[in-house]
Amino acid sequence: MNVGIVGSGYVGTTVAACLAHLGHDVTNVDVDRSVVEAVEDGRAPVDEPRLDELLAEYGGNRLRATTDYDALSDAELIFVALPTPSNEDGSVDTSVVEAGAESLGPVLAERGDYPTVVVKSTVVPGTTADLIRPALERTSGAVAGEDFGVAVNPEFLREGSAVDDFLSPDKLVFGTDDDDRAEDALCGVFAPLVDAEDPPVVSTGTREAEMIKYANNAFLATKVSLINELGNICKEHGVDAYEVAEAIGLDDRISERFLRSGLGFGGSCFPKDVAAIIAAARAKGYDPELLQAAMDVNDKQPRRLLSLVDRHVDVAGERVAVLGLAFKPHTDDVRNSRAIDVIRGLRERGAEVVAYDPVASENMRDYFPDLTYADSAAAALDGAAAAVVATDWPEFADLDSEFDAMATPVVVDGRRVVTRREGLVYEGLTW
Ligand code: UDX
């Protein structure tokens, strides 16, 4: 099929490359020329495993990129994968998506072939029906349901495994409002994936599809906060939360996944999406206490880690190593990383922070330009009065004699990655 994608960020590029891989002719529109050039040259504009190989294979041929919306005039389906950042109060800023929809108007005008616009961006229930659809109608002069289709198809990609997640999904969600042609178009574009992988396909309304994305992320984020709350209680009782998690995970209804307690969740999705659905609920007059608690527990974890440091060392004027800056391993993304709060807390205490991350230091410079960034864990640990672990990079499990160079060998592990050994004063956050 001839498919358009508006937005070439991490979701848009992954979807574009994967749809090309499924055999479609894909046109990616983005306002950023450097991104467009990268795609055209067969280079991935974002750092994501396997994306490079897909871009190298399809970029410039089956996958084209341009800044010109007119290039979408023959597209049968147009996915909108534009960012939905947070406002100050946590609510979703839909201005980019709305502007994108307005730019699509002329592409939908006088077509006669019923193209379908598919919203991939994460938006609160009702946004597609009440904001995007009217924006498309207003700028095209065409009528949704008569001249073009509208659908919602949320994405559940994780950073670091986005391509694999797309190509082996747990489920596909197709949201349409009594629009069989739009749903047929979605079935058509995903047919090669459905034939190969046979994922469950959820056919539902646009509002429901929008909510499914939030419910999915809110559930997972709350699961992490729940195991963190239980982990905090475990710690107070001298119990290892990981032993408890392993046992409760044997109950199918609980499952062993997402039970790693510690410093909490970060990244571009969980904090933003939970805040957004809280704000959306409040706007409707409902106070979501449990989701707010999930956010509060998440905010609390860095403070608990710092209080464990305080138990052993007065860090004022001391060098403290922060190991791991990325919000999770295998990414250089530091957005909402728990390491940010940890570093802030250490600096408030007057510590001289020396940070190390295998790949994320450059991005952390945007938040802390004047921090000392070491180029190895060993260099960060050298002379440190304490070390805190904020990201579960596997290489931290191999640290051993490197701890000998510390001034005092105190390690507070927020991710249960360091291998304990003789001579180390080791504190786990929830164990
Ligand atoms: C998440 C969702 O998994 C994905 O479906 C959605 O589309 C986007 O948001 P991502 O943010 O890439 O993906 O990361 P994920 O691997 O889910 O981890 C999120 C955060 O939770 C990380 O900070 C991670 O360290 C933390 N986490 C996860 C835990 O603290 N414990 C766990 O058991 C699992």
Side-chain angles (χ1 to χ4, degrees):
M1 292 171 79
N2 187 334
V3 184
I5 318 266
V6 180
S8 201
Y10 136 83
V11 172
T13 308
T14 303
V15 172
C18 289
L19 289 178
H21 184 64
L22 294 180
H24 300 298
D25 289 317
V26 181
T27 305
N28 205 167
V29 176
D30 198 282
V31 289
D32 186 335
R33 277 184 197 283
S34 66
V35 166
V36 166
E37 274 167 29
V39 174
E40 281 285 291
D41 290 351
R43 288 178 286 115
V46 292
D47 200 16
E48 189 60 39
R50 292 192 62 195
L51 210 48
D52 265 330
E53 66 186 72
L54 293 183
L55 262 298
E57 191 166 352
Y58 305 114
N61 49 78
R62 207 141 83 200
L63 166 56
R64 305 303 306 261
T66 171
T67 56
D68 185 5
Y69 277 80
D70 288 344
L72 302 176
S73 55
D74 292 326
E76 296 159 78
L77 268 107
I78 303 167
F79 289 92
V80 177
L82 290 168
T84 47
S86 302
N87 293 313
E88 278 288 303
D89 64 353
S91 63
V92 181
D93 175 357
T94 49
S95 58
V96 179
V97 172
E98 193 175 3
E102 285 170 352
S103 302
L104 276 178
V107 173
L108 302 175
E110 294 164 30
R111 285 275 296 253
D113 65 340
Y114 206 82
T116 296
V117 176
V118 185
V119 177
K120 268 236 178 266
S121 303
T122 303
V123 288
V124 300
T127 307
T128 298
D130 300 339
L131 187 91
I132 297 175
R133 177 183 162 143
L136 293 168
E137 290 186 323
R138 198 168 59 238
T139 49
S140 65
V143 179
E146 283 179 25
D147 306 312
F148 67 92
V150 175
V152 174
N153 170 231
E155 223 19 275
F156 304 95
L157 310 177
R158 287 165 299 174
E159 277 185 45
S161 54
V163 171
D164 290 341
D165 287 348
F166 186 94
L167 295 174
S168 310
D170 286 342
K171 58 181 172 280
L172 295 173
V173 177
F174 298 163
T176 57
D177 293 327
D178 301 320
D179 188 341
D180 292 344
R181 284 180 285 181
E183 185 164 341
D184 287 349
L186 274 168
C187 290
V189 81
F190 283 103
L193 195 54
V194 172
D195 289 347
E197 297 285 322
D198 198 23
V201 177
V202 180
S203 292
T204 187
T206 58
R207 279 182 166 74
E208 287 75 10
E210 290 164 330
M211 188 64 199
I212 286 166
K213 167 78 185 205
Y214 281 106
N216 216 97
N217 278 350
F219 199 102
L220 290 171
T222 305
K223 188 172 185 186
V224 172
S225 276
L226 178 56
I227 198 64
N228 283 339
E229 176 112 295
L230 292 168
N232 294 341
I233 298 170
C234 285
K235 180 77 181 175
E236 297 299 330
H237 285 87
V239 169
D240 180 344
Y242 279 71
E243 269 188 47
V244 173
E246 202 179 330
I248 63 172
L250 295 172
D251 188 321
D252 293 345
R253 293 166 302 175
I254 295 175
S255 117
E256 61 185 343
R257 316 244 336 245
F258 262 69
L259 286 184
R260 294 192 318 278
S261 56
L263 209 43
F265 57 82
S268 61
C269 287
F270 285 171
K272 170 174 100 76
D273 290 352
V274 180
I277 202 65
I278 289 173
R282 288 200 179 127
K284 293 281 184 198
Y286 178 77
D287 184 24
E289 290 174 73
L290 182 57
L291 294 183
Q292 186 56 54
M295 294 293 272
D296 294 344
V297 169
N298 200 49
D299 288 343
K300 186 155 60 178
Q301 294 313 90
R303 295 201 294 277
R304 284 194 56 93
L305 179 132
L306 292 166
S307 73
L308 287 174
V309 176
D310 293 339
R311 252 191 228 175
H312 295 281
V313 197
D314 176 1
V315 296
E318 301 286 347
R319 189 179 161 106
V320 177
V322 174
L323 302 182
L325 301 172
F327 85 96
K328 67 176 189 179
H330 312 293
T331 174
D332 65 356
D333 195 343
V334 299
R335 282 176 292 173
N336 284 306
S337 170
R338 304 289 74 202
I340 295 171
D341 285 357
V342 170
I343 293 169
R344 279 203 188 112
L346 288 169
R347 294 185 115 193
E348 275 161 25
R349 287 163 169 74
E352 182 211 326
V353 175
V354 183
Y356 167 70
D357 190 284
V359 295
S361 294
E362 263 328 292
N363 287 336
M364 198 52 110
R365 277 183 210 278
D366 293 342
Y367 295 80
F368 301 106
D370 53 347
L371 210 63
T372 307
Y373 293 91
D375 53 16
S376 68
L381 291 168
D382 194 7
V388 299
V389 180
T391 314
D392 35 345
W393 282 105
E395 67 172 70
F396 297 153
D398 299 331
L399 293 171
D400 185 18
S401 58
E402 291 83 353
F403 292 120
D404 295 340
M406 293 179 74
T408 41
V410 172
V411 176
V412 182
D413 191 349
R415 298 291 183 187
R416 200 181 176 94
V417 58
V418 166
T419 311
R420 277 160 269 189
R421 50 157 246 184
E422 225 22 56
L424 210 57
V425 180
Y426 178 90
E427 284 276 8
L429 186 48
T430 57
W431 56 96

mmCIF file of all heavy atoms in Angstrom, residues 57-96:
data_model
loop_
_atom_site.group_PDB
_atom_site.id
_atom_site.type_symbol
_atom_site.label_atom_id
_atom_site.label_comp_id
_atom_site.label_asym_id
_atom_site.label_seq_id
_atom_site.Cartn_x
_atom_site.Cartn_y
_atom_site.Cartn_z
ATOM 1 N N GLU A 57 18.432 -0.326 4.285
ATOM 2 C CA GLU A 57 17.811 -1.133 3.233
ATOM 3 C C GLU A 57 16.737 -0.350 2.461
ATOM 4 O O GLU A 57 16.673 -0.428 1.239
ATOM 5 C CB GLU A 57 17.207 -2.400 3.862
ATOM 6 C CG GLU A 57 16.783 -3.410 2.810
ATOM 7 C CD GLU A 57 16.507 -4.796 3.403
ATOM 8 O OE1 GLU A 57 16.782 -5.025 4.601
ATOM 9 O OE2 GLU A 57 15.991 -5.642 2.640
ATOM 10 N N TYR A 58 15.909 0.421 3.191
ATOM 11 C CA TYR A 58 14.736 1.005 2.533
ATOM 12 C C TYR A 58 14.798 2.525 2.341
ATOM 13 O O TYR A 58 14.069 3.067 1.509
ATOM 14 C CB TYR A 58 13.472 0.656 3.318
ATOM 15 C CG TYR A 58 13.298 -0.823 3.533
ATOM 16 C CD1 TYR A 58 13.374 -1.376 4.812
ATOM 17 C CD2 TYR A 58 13.091 -1.679 2.451
ATOM 18 C CE1 TYR A 58 13.238 -2.747 5.017
ATOM 19 C CE2 TYR A 58 12.956 -3.044 2.644
ATOM 20 C CZ TYR A 58 13.032 -3.574 3.929
ATOM 21 O OH TYR A 58 12.905 -4.921 4.120
ATOM 22 N N GLY A 59 15.650 3.201 3.124
ATOM 23 C CA GLY A 59 15.707 4.672 3.034
ATOM 24 C C GLY A 59 16.114 5.118 1.635
ATOM 25 O O GLY A 59 17.075 4.599 1.066
ATOM 26 N N GLY A 60 15.352 6.062 1.089
ATOM 27 C CA GLY A 60 15.671 6.571 -0.249
ATOM 28 C C GLY A 60 15.039 5.753 -1.360
ATOM 29 O O GLY A 60 15.038 6.165 -2.519
ATOM 30 N N ASN A 61 14.526 4.552 -1.048
ATOM 31 C CA ASN A 61 13.800 3.819 -2.096
ATOM 32 C C ASN A 61 12.359 3.544 -1.657
ATOM 33 O O ASN A 61 11.485 4.353 -1.919
ATOM 34 C CB ASN A 61 14.548 2.562 -2.546
ATOM 35 C CG ASN A 61 15.015 1.678 -1.401
ATOM 36 O OD1 ASN A 61 14.212 0.952 -0.833
ATOM 37 N ND2 ASN A 61 16.302 1.737 -1.060
ATOM 38 N N ARG A 62 12.127 2.422 -0.923
ATOM 39 C CA ARG A 62 10.738 2.157 -0.539
ATOM 40 C C ARG A 62 10.280 3.108 0.565
ATOM 41 O O ARG A 62 9.096 3.297 0.788
ATOM 42 C CB ARG A 62 10.624 0.715 -0.051
ATOM 43 C CG ARG A 62 9.264 0.163 -0.238
ATOM 44 C CD ARG A 62 9.324 -1.272 -0.669
ATOM 45 N NE ARG A 62 9.494 -2.155 0.472
ATOM 46 C CZ ARG A 62 9.951 -3.401 0.379
ATOM 47 N NH1 ARG A 62 10.306 -3.882 -0.804
ATOM 48 N NH2 ARG A 62 10.063 -4.154 1.438
ATOM 49 N N LEU A 63 11.237 3.675 1.283
ATOM 50 C CA LEU A 63 10.920 4.645 2.336
ATOM 51 C C LEU A 63 11.514 5.995 1.934
ATOM 52 O O LEU A 63 12.726 6.149 1.856
ATOM 53 C CB LEU A 63 11.521 4.176 3.669
ATOM 54 C CG LEU A 63 11.578 5.191 4.814
ATOM 55 C CD1 LEU A 63 10.206 5.761 5.116
ATOM 56 C CD2 LEU A 63 12.147 4.533 6.066
ATOM 57 N N ARG A 64 10.634 6.942 1.633
ATOM 58 C CA ARG A 64 11.083 8.273 1.230
ATOM 59 C C ARG A 64 10.750 9.261 2.340
ATOM 60 O O ARG A 64 9.832 9.055 3.120
ATOM 61 C CB ARG A 64 10.370 8.731 -0.064
ATOM 62 C CG ARG A 64 10.476 7.796 -1.247
ATOM 63 C CD ARG A 64 11.916 7.499 -1.619
ATOM 64 N NE ARG A 64 12.721 8.693 -1.850
ATOM 65 C CZ ARG A 64 13.008 9.192 -3.052
ATOM 66 N NH1 ARG A 64 12.539 8.602 -4.137
ATOM 67 N NH2 ARG A 64 13.762 10.278 -3.162
ATOM 68 N N ALA A 65 11.505 10.355 2.388
ATOM 69 C CA ALA A 65 11.207 11.388 3.381
ATOM 70 C C ALA A 65 11.222 12.745 2.701
ATOM 71 O O ALA A 65 11.945 12.964 1.725
ATOM 72 C CB ALA A 65 12.230 11.352 4.504
ATOM 73 N N THR A 66 10.406 13.642 3.199
ATOM 74 C CA THR A 66 10.281 14.973 2.601
ATOM 75 C C THR A 66 9.711 15.938 3.646
ATOM 76 O O THR A 66 9.130 15.495 4.640
ATOM 77 C CB THR A 66 9.350 14.922 1.360
ATOM 78 O OG1 THR A 66 9.083 16.259 0.912
ATOM 79 C CG2 THR A 66 8.010 14.257 1.685
ATOM 80 N N THR A 67 9.877 17.228 3.389
ATOM 81 C CA THR A 67 9.230 18.220 4.259
ATOM 82 C C THR A 67 7.870 18.638 3.678
ATOM 83 O O THR A 67 7.159 19.440 4.284
ATOM 84 C CB THR A 67 10.105 19.487 4.395
ATOM 85 O OG1 THR A 67 10.368 19.975 3.085
ATOM 86 C CG2 THR A 67 11.414 19.200 5.125
ATOM 87 N N ASP A 68 7.524 18.083 2.515
ATOM 88 C CA ASP A 68 6.375 18.564 1.755
ATOM 89 C C ASP A 68 5.150 17.647 1.929
ATOM 90 O O ASP A 68 5.156 16.497 1.478
ATOM 91 C CB ASP A 68 6.798 18.613 0.273
ATOM 92 C CG ASP A 68 5.720 19.223 -0.589
ATOM 93 O OD1 ASP A 68 4.691 19.681 -0.029
ATOM 94 O OD2 ASP A 68 5.899 19.231 -1.820
ATOM 95 N N TYR A 69 4.112 18.187 2.560
ATOM 96 C CA TYR A 69 2.890 17.392 2.766
ATOM 97 C C TYR A 69 2.251 16.931 1.449
ATOM 98 O O TYR A 69 1.561 15.910 1.420
ATOM 99 C CB TYR A 69 1.853 18.191 3.572
ATOM 100 C CG TYR A 69 2.057 18.143 5.070
ATOM 101 C CD1 TYR A 69 3.009 18.943 5.696
ATOM 102 C CD2 TYR A 69 1.288 17.309 5.872
ATOM 103 C CE1 TYR A 69 3.185 18.901 7.077
ATOM 104 C CE2 TYR A 69 1.460 17.260 7.253
ATOM 105 C CZ TYR A 69 2.405 18.058 7.851
ATOM 106 O OH TYR A 69 2.586 18.009 9.204
ATOM 107 N N ASP A 70 2.483 17.697 0.363
ATOM 108 C CA ASP A 70 1.885 17.314 -0.927
ATOM 109 C C ASP A 70 2.293 15.911 -1.358
ATOM 110 O O ASP A 70 1.592 15.261 -2.142
ATOM 111 C CB ASP A 70 2.317 18.308 -2.020
ATOM 112 C CG ASP A 70 1.625 19.640 -1.835
ATOM 113 O OD1 ASP A 70 0.620 19.671 -1.073
ATOM 114 O OD2 ASP A 70 2.085 20.638 -2.418
ATOM 115 N N ALA A 71 3.445 15.461 -0.842
ATOM 116 C CA ALA A 71 3.920 14.119 -1.208
ATOM 117 C C ALA A 71 2.967 13.029 -0.714
ATOM 118 O O ALA A 71 3.088 11.871 -1.101
ATOM 119 C CB ALA A 71 5.316 13.887 -0.626
ATOM 120 N N LEU A 72 2.004 13.426 0.138
ATOM 121 C CA LEU A 72 1.055 12.435 0.675
ATOM 122 C C LEU A 72 -0.233 12.367 -0.144
ATOM 123 O O LEU A 72 -1.186 11.690 0.255
ATOM 124 C CB LEU A 72 0.713 12.774 2.137
ATOM 125 C CG LEU A 72 1.918 12.844 3.080
ATOM 126 C CD1 LEU A 72 1.479 13.281 4.479
ATOM 127 C CD2 LEU A 72 2.628 11.500 3.147
ATOM 128 N N SER A 73 -0.250 13.055 -1.294
ATOM 129 C CA SER A 73 -1.529 13.170 -2.023
ATOM 130 C C SER A 73 -2.028 11.839 -2.580
ATOM 131 O O SER A 73 -3.201 11.727 -2.928
ATOM 132 C CB SER A 73 -1.425 14.220 -3.128
ATOM 133 O OG SER A 73 -0.340 13.895 -3.947
ATOM 134 N N ASP A 74 -1.153 10.811 -2.671
ATOM 135 C CA ASP A 74 -1.620 9.494 -3.121
ATOM 136 C C ASP A 74 -1.679 8.465 -1.993
ATOM 137 O O ASP A 74 -1.963 7.291 -2.242
ATOM 138 C CB ASP A 74 -0.684 8.934 -4.209
ATOM 139 C CG ASP A 74 -0.786 9.757 -5.480
ATOM 140 O OD1 ASP A 74 -1.895 10.244 -5.776
ATOM 141 O OD2 ASP A 74 0.250 9.929 -6.151
ATOM 142 N N ALA A 75 -1.365 8.901 -0.766
ATOM 143 C CA ALA A 75 -1.291 7.929 0.334
ATOM 144 C C ALA A 75 -2.677 7.405 0.676
ATOM 145 O O ALA A 75 -3.621 8.173 0.833
ATOM 146 C CB ALA A 75 -0.646 8.566 1.557
ATOM 147 N N GLU A 76 -2.778 6.077 0.800
ATOM 148 C CA GLU A 76 -4.070 5.468 1.170
ATOM 149 C C GLU A 76 -4.315 5.601 2.671
ATOM 150 O O GLU A 76 -5.451 5.707 3.118
ATOM 151 C CB GLU A 76 -4.067 3.975 0.803
ATOM 152 C CG GLU A 76 -3.964 3.723 -0.689
ATOM 153 C CD GLU A 76 -3.449 2.321 -0.981
ATOM 154 O OE1 GLU A 76 -4.237 1.366 -0.871
ATOM 155 O OE2 GLU A 76 -2.264 2.182 -1.321
ATOM 156 N N LEU A 77 -3.232 5.527 3.421
ATOM 157 C CA LEU A 77 -3.308 5.717 4.878
ATOM 158 C C LEU A 77 -2.254 6.727 5.278
ATOM 159 O O LEU A 77 -1.140 6.692 4.758
ATOM 160 C CB LEU A 77 -2.936 4.425 5.615
ATOM 161 C CG LEU A 77 -4.045 3.480 5.977
ATOM 162 C CD1 LEU A 77 -3.955 2.284 5.050
ATOM 163 C CD2 LEU A 77 -3.864 3.029 7.401
ATOM 164 N N ILE A 78 -2.603 7.611 6.197
ATOM 165 C CA ILE A 78 -1.621 8.575 6.697
ATOM 166 C C ILE A 78 -1.596 8.484 8.225
ATOM 167 O O ILE A 78 -2.587 8.803 8.892
ATOM 168 C CB ILE A 78 -1.965 10.010 6.259
ATOM 169 C CG1 ILE A 78 -2.060 10.082 4.733
ATOM 170 C CG2 ILE A 78 -0.917 10.999 6.800
ATOM 171 C CD1 ILE A 78 -2.689 11.364 4.204
ATOM 172 N N PHE A 79 -0.486 7.996 8.751
ATOM 173 C CA PHE A 79 -0.323 7.913 10.207
ATOM 174 C C PHE A 79 0.192 9.247 10.731
ATOM 175 O O PHE A 79 1.128 9.818 10.161
ATOM 176 C CB PHE A 79 0.691 6.822 10.569
ATOM 177 C CG PHE A 79 0.193 5.429 10.336
ATOM 178 C CD1 PHE A 79 0.434 4.786 9.118
ATOM 179 C CD2 PHE A 79 -0.507 4.751 11.312
ATOM 180 C CE1 PHE A 79 -0.023 3.501 8.902
ATOM 181 C CE2 PHE A 79 -0.976 3.460 11.111
ATOM 182 C CZ PHE A 79 -0.730 2.828 9.897
ATOM 183 N N VAL A 80 -0.404 9.708 11.813
ATOM 184 C CA VAL A 80 0.080 10.929 12.459
ATOM 185 C C VAL A 80 0.860 10.505 13.708
ATOM 186 O O VAL A 80 0.289 9.958 14.651
ATOM 187 C CB VAL A 80 -1.087 11.857 12.847
ATOM 188 C CG1 VAL A 80 -0.574 13.088 13.588
ATOM 189 C CG2 VAL A 80 -1.874 12.262 11.598
ATOM 190 N N ALA A 81 2.167 10.723 13.659
ATOM 191 C CA ALA A 81 3.028 10.330 14.781
ATOM 192 C C ALA A 81 3.785 11.566 15.263
ATOM 193 O O ALA A 81 5.009 11.601 15.266
ATOM 194 C CB ALA A 81 3.992 9.226 14.350
ATOM 195 N N LEU A 82 3.018 12.572 15.641
ATOM 196 C CA LEU A 82 3.614 13.832 16.103
ATOM 197 C C LEU A 82 3.645 13.858 17.629
ATOM 198 O O LEU A 82 2.845 13.185 18.282
ATOM 199 C CB LEU A 82 2.783 15.012 15.570
ATOM 200 C CG LEU A 82 2.906 15.214 14.057
ATOM 201 C CD1 LEU A 82 1.849 16.186 13.551
ATOM 202 C CD2 LEU A 82 4.308 15.703 13.675
ATOM 203 N N PRO A 83 4.559 14.649 18.192
ATOM 204 C CA PRO A 83 4.679 14.659 19.657
ATOM 205 C C PRO A 83 3.484 15.302 20.360
ATOM 206 O O PRO A 83 2.865 16.222 19.822
ATOM 207 C CB PRO A 83 5.958 15.461 19.913
ATOM 208 C CG PRO A 83 6.213 16.232 18.667
ATOM 209 C CD PRO A 83 5.563 15.497 17.541
ATOM 210 N N THR A 84 3.180 14.785 21.546
ATOM 211 C CA THR A 84 2.136 15.374 22.403
ATOM 212 C C THR A 84 2.786 15.665 23.754
ATOM 213 O O THR A 84 2.633 14.887 24.695
ATOM 214 C CB THR A 84 0.942 14.415 22.569
ATOM 215 O OG1 THR A 84 1.436 13.103 22.879
ATOM 216 C CG2 THR A 84 0.104 14.355 21.326
ATOM 217 N N PRO A 85 3.547 16.758 23.846
ATOM 218 C CA PRO A 85 4.257 17.064 25.095
ATOM 219 C C PRO A 85 3.292 17.467 26.208
ATOM 220 O O PRO A 85 2.103 17.639 25.981
ATOM 221 C CB PRO A 85 5.170 18.238 24.708
ATOM 222 C CG PRO A 85 4.557 18.845 23.499
ATOM 223 C CD PRO A 85 3.783 17.770 22.810
ATOM 224 N N SER A 86 3.846 17.605 27.414
ATOM 225 C CA SER A 86 3.011 17.950 28.575
ATOM 226 C C SER A 86 2.959 19.452 28.766
ATOM 227 O O SER A 86 3.956 20.142 28.585
ATOM 228 C CB SER A 86 3.609 17.360 29.847
ATOM 229 O OG SER A 86 3.726 15.987 29.741
ATOM 230 N N ASN A 87 1.803 19.941 29.182
ATOM 231 C CA ASN A 87 1.707 21.301 29.719
ATOM 232 C C ASN A 87 2.197 21.274 31.166
ATOM 233 O O ASN A 87 2.375 20.209 31.757
ATOM 234 C CB ASN A 87 0.256 21.781 29.666
ATOM 235 C CG ASN A 87 -0.236 21.961 28.238
ATOM 236 O OD1 ASN A 87 0.462 22.563 27.414
ATOM 237 N ND2 ASN A 87 -1.412 21.446 27.940
ATOM 238 N N GLU A 88 2.356 22.469 31.736
ATOM 239 C CA GLU A 88 2.793 22.596 33.139
ATOM 240 C C GLU A 88 1.981 21.725 34.093
ATOM 241 O O GLU A 88 2.521 21.112 35.003
ATOM 242 C CB GLU A 88 2.643 24.060 33.594
ATOM 243 C CG GLU A 88 3.790 24.967 33.177
ATOM 244 C CD GLU A 88 5.056 24.680 33.965
ATOM 245 O OE1 GLU A 88 4.983 24.767 35.191
ATOM 246 O OE2 GLU A 88 6.083 24.364 33.340
ATOM 247 N N ASP A 89 0.657 21.660 33.875
ATOM 248 C CA ASP A 89 -0.214 20.926 34.809
ATOM 249 C C ASP A 89 -0.309 19.434 34.476
ATOM 250 O O ASP A 89 -1.140 18.726 35.045
ATOM 251 C CB ASP A 89 -1.616 21.545 34.809
ATOM 252 C CG ASP A 89 -2.299 21.413 33.447
ATOM 253 O OD1 ASP A 89 -1.653 20.969 32.480
ATOM 254 O OD2 ASP A 89 -3.492 21.769 33.353
ATOM 255 N N GLY A 90 0.527 18.948 33.560
ATOM 256 C CA GLY A 90 0.514 17.531 33.210
ATOM 257 C C GLY A 90 -0.409 17.196 32.057
ATOM 258 O O GLY A 90 -0.306 16.122 31.477
ATOM 259 N N SER A 91 -1.323 18.112 31.715
ATOM 260 C CA SER A 91 -2.247 17.832 30.607
ATOM 261 C C SER A 91 -1.473 17.813 29.283
ATOM 262 O O SER A 91 -0.341 18.278 29.206
ATOM 263 C CB SER A 91 -3.363 18.875 30.576
ATOM 264 O OG SER A 91 -2.807 20.147 30.319
ATOM 265 N N VAL A 92 -2.133 17.256 28.245
ATOM 266 C CA VAL A 92 -1.452 17.087 26.963
ATOM 267 C C VAL A 92 -1.529 18.365 26.136
ATOM 268 O O VAL A 92 -2.607 18.950 25.981
ATOM 269 C CB VAL A 92 -2.111 15.942 26.164
ATOM 270 C CG1 VAL A 92 -1.403 15.736 24.842
ATOM 271 C CG2 VAL A 92 -2.092 14.660 26.956
ATOM 272 N N ASP A 93 -0.405 18.766 25.586
ATOM 273 C CA ASP A 93 -0.370 19.880 24.644
ATOM 274 C C ASP A 93 -0.603 19.294 23.250
ATOM 275 O O ASP A 93 0.254 18.621 22.688
ATOM 276 C CB ASP A 93 1.003 20.555 24.743
ATOM 277 C CG ASP A 93 1.189 21.658 23.704
ATOM 278 O OD1 ASP A 93 0.279 21.847 22.871
ATOM 279 O OD2 ASP A 93 2.243 22.296 23.728
ATOM 280 N N THR A 94 -1.806 19.537 22.708
ATOM 281 C CA THR A 94 -2.172 18.939 21.419
ATOM 282 C C THR A 94 -1.877 19.862 20.238
ATOM 283 O O THR A 94 -2.262 19.566 19.106
ATOM 284 C CB THR A 94 -3.681 18.593 21.401
ATOM 285 O OG1 THR A 94 -4.407 19.743 21.858
ATOM 286 C CG2 THR A 94 -3.992 17.404 22.276
ATOM 287 N N SER A 95 -1.172 20.976 20.494
ATOM 288 C CA SER A 95 -1.030 21.972 19.429
ATOM 289 C C SER A 95 -0.269 21.431 18.215
ATOM 290 O O SER A 95 -0.609 21.756 17.076
ATOM 291 C CB SER A 95 -0.365 23.244 19.970
ATOM 292 O OG SER A 95 0.884 22.940 20.528
ATOM 293 N N VAL A 96 0.747 20.590 18.452
ATOM 294 C CA VAL A 96 1.527 20.073 17.320
ATOM 295 C C VAL A 96 0.663 19.126 16.480
ATOM 296 O O VAL A 96 0.672 19.180 15.242
ATOM 297 C CB VAL A 96 2.804 19.344 17.816
ATOM 298 C CG1 VAL A 96 3.592 18.787 16.636
ATOM 299 C CG2 VAL A 96 3.667 20.282 18.644
#
